[in-house]
Amino acid sequence: MIEVLVVDDDTRVARVNAAYVEKVPGFHVAGEAHNAAEALRRLETLPRLDLVLMDHYLPDDTGLAVLQEMRRRGHQTDVIMVTAARDVSTVQAAMRQGALQYLVKPFAFAGLRAKLEAYAQLRRTLDGGGEAEQAEVDRIFGALSAPSEPGLPKGHSPTTADLVRQSLMSAEGPLSAQEIAERTGVSRQTAQRYLKLLERTGRAVLTLKYGDAGRPEHRYVWATRA
C-alpha cells in the first residue's frame, strides 16, 4: 500500500480528499494534518509515509515552506500539491522544490484518481531499478502527465460537478437540490441537473422524504453513505 498524508487547513476538505484517496486501490491514508507544524510533526512520527497531498494555504505557513523544510530535514517523501493557488510563480516554485504534480482546486474525484494512478505507475517503473534507455527515461518523466479530468456530458462544468460532489460527500445525511444550491451557490435547477448525473453514474443515491401532503421531496446521499 502507498501511505498518504493529507494536508489541508479545512478539516472538511481534508476528510473529502482522504475519502477520495481511500477509494483508489493501492492507497491508504496514514494521517491528516491541518497546519504546517502538524504536517512536519506527522512526517517525523508516522512509521511510514510515501506521498503527501499538500495544500498551499495553511494557517501558520505555506505548503511550499513545508516542502522546503521537508527537504532541509532530509525527507524525500513525494509531494503532490493540491491547492487553490494557481498563480504561475507558486506553480514554478513548487516545481523547483520537487513537487511531482500540481492539482488545482476545486477538482473532481476523477482528477485526483488520475494523478494517484499515474503516481502508482511511476513507482512501479522506478522500483524496477537498473539502467534506462532514452525511451524508458521519457516514459518515467511522462508518467505523471495523465489527463486530470475525463470528459463530462456536454454542457456540464467540472468545477460545478466537483462542488456538488464535495457537498454530498461532506454532508451528514441526504440533501435536497435546494440545500445543495445553498451550499454551492448555484441555482436549484443546476444543482438538480448535477445530482441527477451523479445518480445516473451510481455515485449518488436518490431517497424520498414524504411530508404530510403533496409530492415527496427528492433527497440525495453519497453512494458510500447510503
Side-chain angles (χ1 to χ4, degrees):
M1 298 292 284
I2 295 173
E3 299 291 335
V4 182
L5 174 65
V6 176
V7 181
D8 199 292
D9 69 313
D10 188 320
T11 57
R12 290 185 304 171
V13 173
R15 286 199 302 269
V16 170
N17 289 347
Y20 280 173
V21 171
E22 291 282 359
K23 289 175 65 176
V24 181
F27 287 83
H28 174 256
V29 176
E32 295 180 18
H34 308 297
N35 57 57
E38 186 180 8
L40 290 169
R41 283 197 302 272
R42 289 283 194 170
L43 282 161
E44 300 291 350
T45 58
L46 285 171
R48 179 182 150 215
L49 196 58
D50 302 303
L51 176 66
V52 180
L53 299 185
M54 182 75 73
D55 189 14
H56 180 59
Y57 297 122
L58 300 172
D60 52 343
D61 216 328
T62 66
L64 289 182
V66 175
L67 174 54
Q68 188 174 29
E69 179 63 16
M70 285 172 57
R71 300 304 183 233
R72 189 190 71 80
R73 295 184 185 186
H75 292 292
Q76 299 304 313
T77 307
D78 294 322
V79 173
I80 295 178
M81 299 297 295
V82 179
T83 175
R86 59 185 68 211
D87 55 289
V88 174
S89 60
T90 300
V91 177
Q92 184 181 49
M95 292 174 59
R96 287 176 172 171
Q97 293 181 31
L100 288 179
Q101 257 293 3
Y102 199 107
L103 187 58
V104 178
K105 295 180 181 176
F107 54 86
F109 165 61
L112 180 57
R113 180 180 61 194
K115 293 289 188 286
L116 293 179
E117 289 176 346
Y119 172 74
Q121 178 59 48
L122 175 64
R123 284 178 62 94
R124 287 192 292 270
T125 300
L126 295 177
D127 287 346
E131 296 185 348
E133 300 295 335
Q134 184 62 51
E136 181 73 1
V137 172
D138 292 342
R139 189 158 70 89
I140 291 170
F141 273 83
L144 286 170
S145 62
S148 61
E149 187 70 50
L152 286 167
K154 186 176 181 180
H156 287 73
S157 160
T159 300
T160 304
D162 192 61
L163 286 172
V164 174
R165 183 183 295 105
Q166 292 206 30
S167 293
L168 277 185
M169 288 190 69
S170 61
E172 297 296 329
L175 296 176
S176 67
Q178 182 59 44
E179 289 169 326
I180 288 289
E182 292 170 357
R183 290 182 177 217
T184 61
V186 303
S187 69
R188 182 187 179 283
Q189 291 77 12
T190 297
Q192 185 68 57
R193 187 157 58 98
Y194 283 84
L195 287 167
K196 287 183 176 178
L197 173 63
L198 290 174
E199 182 197 1
R200 287 198 304 270
T201 56
R203 285 171 286 178
V205 176
L206 170 64
T207 64
L208 299 178
K209 181 181 179 182
Y210 291 89
D212 295 333
R215 299 175 60 185
E217 181 182 35
H218 287 203
R219 299 174 69 81
Y220 296 83
V221 63
W222 192 248
T224 57
R225 295 176 180 268

